Amino acid sequence: MSENVIDKILWIEGFYPFSLKYDLEKAIKKHKQELENLNVDSTSMSIFKFSNYFNVYFKNICETLEYVLSKSTLSKSTFIDLIISDLNRTETIISEDTNRKLFSGDSYDNNSLANLYIQKPEFQNDSEPVWGLIDSAIETATLNLNYLNYVKFIENDEPTDEISHVDVIRNIGIVGSSFNAIKQAYDRIIWKGYVIEENESGIKLKSNQYHLMLDNIALTRLMRNVSNTQNELQYYPQIHKTIIKIFHATRHFQAIKLIEENDGEMILKYQARSKKPTDSFISFIAPILTYYPFFHSEKISAFENLTILDLVNLFSILCDFVMVLPMPGYDDTEVKDLAKFKRFNPKVKKSTLISYFRTTTNYSEKEITVFLNLLIQKEKKYNLFLYSVYEEEDYYFFSHSTIKRANMLYLVDKWLEAGNCDLAERGHKFEDYIKNFLRTEKLNEFAKFKIIEQSRFSFLDDTNTRFEEEIDLVLKTETSIIVAEIKCTTYPLDPDDFYSSFQTLKKAKRQVARKSKFLEDNWEKFEHILGQKGERKIEQIIIVNFPHYAGRNIDEIPIADFYLFLSYFKSGKFVNLKIERSKGITRNEILYYDSVHSFEGNFEHFFRNPVPIEDLMVRQKIEEYEVTLNGTVPKTISERVIYIEKTPDKD
């Protein structure tokens, strides 16, 4: 398969329009020789044709931000403080608006957030999905913080009134939000191989709508499956005895009750700790138990032998602290002066925070410092999703939204990378977990198969030359040989993360196809393992850890996340749960098979069209929405998914 131009230019400096180093003509000229023999696909054509338009937009945004910032005499450090303050204020508003909307209806399920929209007059598109609102606010704040690195702050003695300063913060939020909307839409198109078109109404960022729905379904399923684990931890703790034991073993019998502010000092008040795990512990541990069950207890030498469970435990303790910091409430979020703005970003002495950890846990000060260093912003390039703690002399302040709503799967991958935990090592643990699950779990009565325990298949030919393949997983049923390639990927927070991991899955497709052909061509060498040739057909599948790729097929080879794959063998069914005030809990089941014969016969069809994914697919539709600043010509239109009815509870 020949390489496409897009696979090169995504990484070459000069092609990306949202960069000060963008220069399309120079980049094409410089790299002409290495690009001329590659296929020019529709996404590459979109970049060549429209990236100048997006670069002009980028320049206009930069000029607007520069103009807005010129209206203020504030220092860079003060701007950092206030941008975080504004984000924390936004978190307060969105949280309360979400809760009021969420519990205002007659029914509720664990996926109601997927159907939830908030309406406000300042929204360009009338209403916005709750799912994206806070992430957009975080992304906007990150963009604005990084923009400050390019601003030359000049001391200006000219007095500026408080309202003007507040307006500057509000305006850079509005401008940054518009920039973020169009940048995120463009990134999704380019990194996922979609196209940009022009029509009479403007520029349209045109997605593969099926894949766009799969993206949304992945998040829905992830939240749903994590929610199931949360319910187990909360209501059936005996299932996770080891985890509950860690909670009890690492916590002292004191918990933070409240924090009072007195003459600029934070006074911490404690109360007796309940033996029941805290809500924050449950909510942060649940994603790890769900999607990292194969690596969460490994000691990490670079982190004083702390495990992932230890780090997540410490994170939940930090969250408990941030939750009780003195802040204005929802009804007190109007801001007219800087002093009020700064109240949304309370600062805490470093010694006070360390003392809090020492009072509430039995982790050493060195271990606590190792943990905090993972969260402290150190470099000029900001990433609020990763770094939620900021230093200012002897004080810390916090990005509340990225602590309260932390994406633990993303954080854990970044921590493992920082701790020099090799992805290949995690891959081996992942393979072992899947095999052990299939060996030891009580599975569906119709799931009849045998695990081929050997992974290395080799033989010597007549010339004494060795031929061999190593296969991650081989299952034998009465009518088939299931050959699986297992890949452990990192969490795809951004479109470029998705792109990188998907290239790995393309390699996995080639591997599983090659290994299947090896077995097929040399079947007689392995008949003692596989059975007589002609009795069984080979089924191929790629298994990954996260649900973002499930439901996709690469050259007719399906991809499944391990949660979906193992559910086919364990429960063999899809369960809908819905809670309604008038009817209580209603339950509906869809069986994947009802006999040994259908267990075997349905395998290929199921993983090419998984029931839990298809069920969510029909509950969605695509709508267009504007991602340009109001009044900008031409309009830029993107696409997003909206749900047309409530979603089910688990698979």
Side-chain angles (χ1 to χ4, degrees), residues 577-589:
L577 292 179
K578 186 176 179 181
I579 303 173
E580 296 180 278
R581 290 179 182 174
S582 57
K583 299 179 182 178
I585 299 176
T586 56
R587 179 186 179 95
N588 182 46
E589 294 184 354

Side-chain angles (χ1 to χ4, degrees), residues 434-453 473-482 536 565-566 568-570 593 596 599-600 603:
I434 291 174
K435 291 177 181 177
N436 287 333
F437 186 100
L438 293 172
R439 288 190 195 104
T440 61
E441 286 289 321
K442 184 179 179 180
L443 305 178
N444 186 278
E445 62 178 315
F446 302 121
K448 302 299 182 184
F449 63 93
K450 178 183 178 182
I451 299 177
I452 305 299
E453 295 295 343
L473 178 67
V474 181
L475 303 179
K476 178 182 178 181
T477 75
E478 284 297 315
T479 59
S480 63
I481 298 294
I482 298 170
R536 294 173 176 85
F565 179 78
L566 295 178
Y568 187 81
F569 296 84
K570 184 173 174 62
Y593 46 81
V596 174
F599 160 74
E600 296 175 351
F603 183 89

Side-chain angles (χ1 to χ4, degrees), residues 414-429:
K414 291 299 183 182
W415 294 343
L416 288 172
E417 182 182 322
N420 300 316
C421 297
D422 187 59
L423 189 60
E425 179 189 355
R426 281 178 265 167
H428 293 311
K429 299 280 186 183

Side-chain angles (χ1 to χ4, degrees), residues 49 70 156 203 268 289 441 449 466 488 521 559 564 572:
K49 186 174 181 180
S70 71
N156 190 341
I203 306 295
L268 278 55
L289 297 183
E441 286 289 321
F449 63 93
R466 179 172 293 278
C488 184
D521 291 347
I559 305 171
L564 178 66

Side-chain angles (χ1 to χ4, degrees), residues 203-216:
I203 306 295
K204 184 173 181 180
L205 304 172
K206 191 173 179 60
S207 307
N208 177 313
Q209 295 190 350
Y210 182 76
H211 287 173
L212 189 60
M213 288 183 176
L214 284 177
D215 292 340
N216 212 54

Side-chain angles (χ1 to χ4, degrees), residues 57 124-125 178-179 181-182 185 205 625-629 636-638:
Y57 194 92
Q124 179 168 292
N125 296 290
S178 299
F179 174 39
I182 199 166
L205 304 172
Y625 71 108
E626 191 175 344
V627 293
T628 43
L629 194 63
T636 303
I637 305 298
S638 188

